């Protein structure tokens, strides 16, 4: 059980552990309801836990952005109208209109602003905010689209703003993803449930006999009546728990898989109704508009002067838009890599380590499928968790993908193949030829935010260490994309996850690929595994960071 050696070895690991502990402490202190974000204390763990002292001096080494999670995860509150089924926000009665007078045409480079009034099922205006609306400006004839900014004025009114980035036709589309009442349910689940899914751990004894138990991110959620087995990542101190098998020892854990989705009861009828109106388009409130370029202008696009793509850039809002199915970043001058030769030319001499979930595996698959000379190597890996590898020997390209470790929902996979992100990063020398791509989020929406914060603490420390020993290493963070609309995974959870991801790496020299906006801009159905058009544009952003010029 190499990765799970219990003792923290060496000074570096001690520091990582201290940073992690202090971060968790900070997290607990800064949340309004501290009872629900208890760190999973090793209780009857059969492998002894390592205790570390907390050092206040380390507080200053944490990113400022993460210090106040109450602020970071703020969402306008929904007062409880328990039992009033018709008081939740309705997509049928909510309307939006232009903020100013309608114009015959609009100037390229300007903005279109609109006011949205949320109403309940009786048609009464809402008096509080908290609804999750998603707005888009679409130009279907031009294969164009951009996410609109939705500002919650917290009195039932929302301000919508759309940058006018292409010349030609455009129309507004607004969707109610979740009413504030439904968000209230998600919020309660996020705070009160330790876990809404569980996992299976497979233990194998010397005779080959197997025992299967429930595993999870905290000891209580393993359903164990008796002792639990605790597994601690030697690099990041991340914890994992399994009920102790009836006869086999803790160190005979060999397999991992998804378990069950746990029953999540929605408390009130009102909330049930709120759930029925998930992801509904509002009646069109604004006629299609015409965007004209300046009389002297040559360009059909309003692209500001942008620097080449490099890590550490400030994020722009929105981060980009589509035109003719090509994503144009607004923060850096991205490039398109439309042929296998161009991709090969960019990747030449690089080793790319992708570590994340299946949405990141899509990037690996896209490159494998698009570049014929990039040959996949059968490492006898389990496809769902990897490791996957593809190589191009003539130009010296190695492309790896492997899953982030638990809490991964997957078919049965060897535990030995589940390496933590921190563990993988700690084994990389880094350098100008090394690219690290991280893509986590979708598997963390079924636990309280403290679980993801703890994971990010370890990953952040590992990224910081990698960049300290080799500053020329390129680290790219793929944000989580839109898709799920359930109590186990939803766009609302994903928004929160992305806030944590942004904050965790805010002060490090890393690059972001805003997969949230890249999957929010076109009139395509949300899909947790986006189609090839989106994936190819996401990979182009990655390649733009590897090859900015
Ligand atoms: C954290 O943020 C909340 C909400 O924005 C604010 O009320 C509180 O004062 C902040 N706490 C600290 C310590 O800055
Ligand atoms: C909502 O708040 C905004 C900004 O404070 C204000 O301009 C607007 O009149 C308010 N609307 C209502 C219906 O109270």
């Amino acid at each position: 059980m190499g990765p799970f050696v219990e003792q923290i070895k060496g000074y570096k690991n001690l520091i990582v552990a201290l940073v992690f502990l202090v971060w968790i402490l900070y997290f607990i202190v800064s949340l309004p309801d501290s009872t629900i974000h208890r760190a999973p204390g090793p209780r009857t763990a059969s492998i002894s836990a390592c205790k570390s002292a907390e050092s206040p001096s380390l507080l200053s080494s944490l990113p400022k952005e993460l210090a106040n999670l109450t602020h970071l995860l703020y969402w306008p509150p929904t007062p409880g109208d328990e039992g009033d089924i018709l008081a939740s926000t309705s997509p049928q009665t909510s309307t939006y209109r232009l903020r100013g007078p309608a114009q015959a045409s609009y100037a390229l480079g300007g903005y279109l602003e609109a006011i949205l009034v949320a109403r309940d099922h009786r048609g009464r205006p809402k008096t509080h905010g908290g609804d999750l609306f998603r707005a888009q400006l679409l130009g279907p004839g031009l294969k164009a689209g951009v996410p609109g900014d939705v500002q919650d004025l917290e009195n039932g009114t929302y301000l919508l703003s759309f940058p006018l980035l292409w010349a030609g036709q455009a129309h507004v589309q607004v969707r109610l993803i979740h009413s504030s009442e439904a968000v209230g349910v998600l919020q309660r689940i996020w705070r009160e449930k330790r876990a809404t899914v569980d996992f299976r751990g497979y233990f194998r004894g010397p005779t080959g006999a197997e025992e299967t138990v429930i595993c999870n991110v905290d000891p209580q959620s393993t359903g164990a009546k008796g002792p639990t087995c605790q597994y601690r990542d030697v690099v990041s101190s991340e914890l994992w728990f399994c009920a102790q098998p009836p006869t086999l020892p803790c160190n005979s854990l060999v397999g991992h898989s998804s378990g069950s989705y746990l029953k999540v009861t929605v408390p009130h009828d009102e909330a049930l109704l709120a759930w029925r109106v998930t992801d509904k388009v509002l009646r069109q409130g604004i006629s299609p508009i015409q965007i004209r370029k300046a009389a002297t202008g040559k360009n059909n696009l309003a692209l500001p002067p942008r620097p080449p793509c490099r890590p550490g850039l400030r994020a722009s809002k929105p981060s980009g838009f589509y035109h003719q199915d090509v994503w144009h970043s607004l923060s850096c001058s991205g490039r398109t890599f439309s042929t296998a030769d161009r991709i090969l030319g960019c990747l030449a001499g690089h080793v790319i380590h992708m570590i994340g979930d299946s949405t990141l595996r899509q990037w690996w698959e896209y490159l494998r499928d698009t570049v014929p000379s990039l040959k996949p190597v059968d490492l006898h890996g389990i496809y769902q968790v990897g490791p996957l590898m593809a190589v191009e020997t003539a130009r010296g390209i190695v492309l790896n993908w492997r899953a982030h470790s638990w809490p991964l929902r997957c078919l049965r996979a060897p535990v030995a193949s589940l390496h933590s992100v921190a563990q993988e990063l700690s084994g990389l020398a880094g350098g100008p030829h090394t690219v690290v791509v991280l893509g986590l989020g979708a598997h963390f929406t079924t636990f309280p935010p403290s679980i993801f914060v703890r994971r990010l603490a370890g990953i952040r420390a590992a990224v910081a260490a990698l960049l300290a020993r080799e500053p020329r290493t390129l680290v790219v963070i793929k944000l989580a994309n839109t898709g799920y609309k359930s109590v186990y995974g939803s766009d609302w959870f994903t928004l929160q996850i992305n806030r944590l991801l942004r904050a965790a790496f805010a002060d490090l020299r890393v690059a972001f690929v805003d997969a949230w906006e890249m999957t929010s801009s076109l009139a395509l159905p949300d899909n947790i595994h986006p189609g090839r058009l989106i994936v190819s544009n996401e990979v182009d952003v990655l390649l733009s960071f590897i090859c900015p010029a």
Side-chain angles (χ1 to χ4, degrees):
M1 300 302 292
F4 309 118
V5 173
E6 265 307 296
Q7 265 138 20
I8 291 179
K9 287 190 191 124
Y11 177 72
K12 200 184 83 196
N13 289 332
L14 187 61
I15 293 293
V16 170
L18 286 173
V19 168
F20 145 73
L21 269 172
V22 172
W23 202 1
I24 294 308
L25 184 74
Y26 226 149
F27 182 76
I28 290 164
V29 168
S30 67
L31 267 165
D33 189 352
S34 63
T35 57
I36 50 189
H37 298 288
R38 219 170 299 140
R43 301 187 122 197
T44 43
S46 59
I47 301 174
S48 68
C50 187
K51 289 216 173 65
S52 306
E54 286 150 16
S55 158
S57 66
L58 280 165
L59 290 175
S60 54
S61 71
L62 290 168
K64 265 198 240 56
E65 288 77 2
L66 265 174
N68 190 345
L69 283 167
T70 306
H71 182 69
L72 186 62
L73 298 183
Y74 174 76
W75 195 266
T78 298
D81 273 326
E82 270 112 35
D84 188 357
I85 291 183
L86 299 174
S88 61
T89 310
S90 160
Q92 268 101 43
T93 57
S94 300
T95 57
Y96 59 93
R97 57 176 166 78
L98 280 176
R99 193 180 191 195
Q103 298 170 25
S105 65
Y106 292 79
L108 181 65
Y111 281 85
L112 185 76
E113 288 190 322
I115 309 268
L116 188 156
V117 177
R119 294 192 185 80
D120 68 13
H121 288 266
R122 296 190 180 89
R124 295 178 309 195
K126 304 280 296 202
T127 52
H128 59 81
D131 299 303
L132 175 55
F133 289 104
R134 278 171 50 197
Q136 298 170 307
L137 189 69
L138 299 168
L142 299 165
K143 299 173 181 164
V146 66
D149 184 53
V150 180
Q151 191 191 342
D152 188 341
L153 301 179
E154 300 201 21
N155 58 8
T157 309
Y158 298 75
L159 196 56
L160 313 181
S161 174
F162 305 88
L164 305 177
L165 297 164
W166 64 85
Q169 274 236 324
H171 71 265
V172 170
Q173 189 186 78
V174 180
R175 286 187 289 159
L176 176 63
I177 304 294
H178 294 305
S179 66
S180 58
E181 288 74 17
V183 170
V185 171
L186 295 178
Q187 244 168 343
R188 272 202 294 276
I189 292 168
W190 215 28
R191 288 183 177 170
E192 290 165 13
K193 298 275 176 206
R194 296 171 175 282
T196 55
V197 296
D198 65 16
F199 302 86
R200 297 290 176 269
Y202 306 87
F203 294 75
R204 189 180 298 140
T207 63
E210 285 207 352
E211 290 172 1
T212 305
V213 300
I214 296 175
C215 302
N216 221 321
V217 295
D218 71 83
Q220 289 80 6
S221 303
T222 62
K225 300 277 186 290
T228 52
C229 298
Q230 172 183 312
Y231 304 94
R232 181 192 296 266
D233 187 87
V234 70
V235 174
S236 67
S237 300
E238 288 154 26
L239 297 171
W240 185 251
F241 300 88
C242 295
Q244 190 172 322
T247 65
L248 294 173
C250 285
N251 68 5
S252 62
L253 176 66
V254 294
H256 165 83
S257 78
S258 317
S260 314
Y261 286 86
L262 307 178
K263 197 165 156 36
V264 179
T265 49
V266 177
H268 308 290
D269 291 351
E270 157 226 357
L272 280 176
L273 180 68
W275 270 107
R276 249 179 270 136
V277 296
T278 296
D279 194 9
K280 292 280 189 288
V281 179
L282 268 59
R283 214 173 335 133
Q284 182 123 40
I286 300 173
S287 307
I289 64 162
Q290 194 67 34
I291 305 166
R292 69 183 137 72
K293 53 187 175 187
T296 55
K298 291 191 292 282
N299 293 332
N300 283 321
L301 303 181
L303 283 169
R306 298 154 300 160
C309 294
R310 55 179 158 73
L313 286 173
R314 277 188 69 85
S316 62
K317 194 79 194 131
S319 56
F321 65 102
Y322 285 98
H323 184 260
Q324 299 298 355
D325 281 345
V326 173
W327 177 258
H328 295 274
S329 163
L330 289 171
S331 56
C332 67
S333 54
R335 305 170 59 202
T336 49
F337 296 82
S338 44
T339 65
D341 264 355
R342 282 191 173 199
I343 296 173
L344 278 174
C346 173
L347 291 180
H350 285 96
V351 183
I352 294 112
H353 301 271
M354 297 180 173
I355 314 167
D357 57 32
S358 56
T359 66
L360 190 60
R361 188 178 60 215
Q362 288 186 275
W363 292 17
W364 185 90
E365 291 162 350
Y366 168 79
L367 286 167
R368 174 201 62 192
D369 297 344
T370 309
V371 184
S373 58
L374 200 50
K375 300 285 186 218
V377 181
D378 185 3
L379 293 177
H380 307 288
I382 303 278
Y383 182 71
Q384 277 204 315
V385 300
L388 303 176
M389 180 189 270
V391 296
E392 212 277 16
T393 49
R395 307 209 208 187
I397 301 168
V398 180
L399 182 65
N400 292 320
W401 173 86
R402 74 183 315 146
H404 68 71
S405 186
W406 31 56
L408 193 79
R409 298 189 298 275
C410 58
L411 300 173
R412 180 170 170 169
V415 164
S417 294
L418 290 175
H419 299 187
S420 76
V421 177
Q423 186 191 343
E424 280 293 289
L425 296 183
S426 72
L428 297 180
H433 305 293
T434 302
V435 180
V436 170
V437 190
L438 305 180
L440 299 89
H443 293 258
F444 289 87
T445 57
T446 50
F447 313 101
S450 57
I451 298 295
F452 193 51
V453 167
R454 185 177 311 120
R455 182 63 55 95
L456 283 176
I459 295 174
R460 184 198 136 71
V463 167
L466 172 62
L467 291 175
R469 64 180 176 266
E470 249 310 346
R472 290 170 299 173
T473 312
L474 174 62
V475 177
V476 179
I477 312 285
K478 175 198 170 288
L479 296 183
N481 52 261
T482 62
Y484 292 129
K485 308 275 186 283
S486 82
V487 293
Y488 302 102
S490 106
D491 290 344
W492 183 80
F493 288 130
T494 305
L495 274 176
Q496 310 299 310
I497 289 278
N498 282 341
R499 287 178 179 182
L500 295 174
L501 274 167
R502 284 258 191 214
F505 298 102
D507 62 345
L508 295 179
R509 215 173 154 276
V510 304
F512 288 95
V513 178
D514 192 346
W516 171 270
E517 288 202 348
M518 295 184 76
T519 53
S520 297
S521 301
L522 291 172
L524 297 169
D526 293 337
N527 185 345
I528 192 68
H529 294 124
R532 188 182 167 88
L533 169 68
I534 306 275
V535 172
S536 70
N537 277 289
E538 289 174 346
V539 170
D540 276 358
V541 178
L542 165 69
L543 296 173
S544 297
F545 281 109
I546 300 174
C547 310

